[in-house]
Amino acid sequence: MRERGEAAVERVRELTQHGAHSVLECVGLEQAVETALAIARPGGAIGRVGVPEHDTTPTGVAFWKNASIAGGPAPVRAYIDALLLDVLEGRIEPGRVFDRTGSIEDVPDGYRAMNDREVLKFQIKP
């Protein structure tokens, strides 16, 4: 699903009728938090992973939906030594998160593509 904002809310409502039971917001902009709150069904849960781009959360929406919000910084350093080699050697498939791969020289274009919503995540390969 590549929709954003109100289009994403409408699409999730089409698929679920009442909204999603669980929503994961991962280091998004303020719009991502607002969208997560909008697509969560009443009584649902929003998990926030990573350090947000802003320091406010519109908790009033969650309160009136009786939805819970929880999360914290992604503990990348706790897992990277154990998992990075497995990913690089192909023992763990990172799935559809990385939908474009390039070299270190391609990083600026990769970030532009993520910003323009052409790709979800850009992966650097040695």
Side-chain angles (χ1 to χ4, degrees):
M1 185 172 103
R2 295 197 182 270
E3 292 87 354
R4 300 287 184 264
E6 190 56 39
V9 174
E10 289 176 22
R11 181 73 173 125
V12 169
R13 288 188 183 143
E14 280 177 22
L15 295 169
T16 64
Q17 290 187 312
H18 304 291
H21 179 266
S22 301
V23 179
L24 189 57
E25 186 278 318
C26 303
V27 196
L29 299 173
E30 190 168 3
Q31 180 191 25
V33 177
E34 291 170 1
T35 301
L37 286 163
I39 65 175
R41 73 179 187 185
I46 297 106
R48 298 188 67 199
V49 180
V51 179
E53 300 258 343
H54 57 87
D55 61 0
T56 61
T57 300
T59 55
V61 175
F63 179 82
W64 292 110
K65 281 184 135 178
N66 196 28
S68 62
I69 301 174
V76 175
R77 294 285 174 210
Y79 301 104
I80 198 162
D81 290 338
L83 297 177
L84 183 58
L85 190 60
D86 288 336
V87 171
L88 293 175
E89 293 182 358
R91 289 187 295 272
I92 294 177
E93 171 57 48
R96 295 184 300 174
V97 173
F98 296 108
D99 51 354
R100 186 172 298 172
T101 301
S103 68
I104 191 75
E105 291 82 18
D106 298 321
V107 167
D109 290 332
Y111 270 92
R112 260 190 297 283
M114 287 189 298
N115 186 59
D116 293 342
R117 305 292 192 228
E118 295 170 7
V119 300
L120 185 59
K121 284 290 184 190
F122 178 80
Q123 181 179 28
I124 302 168
K125 286 281 191 173

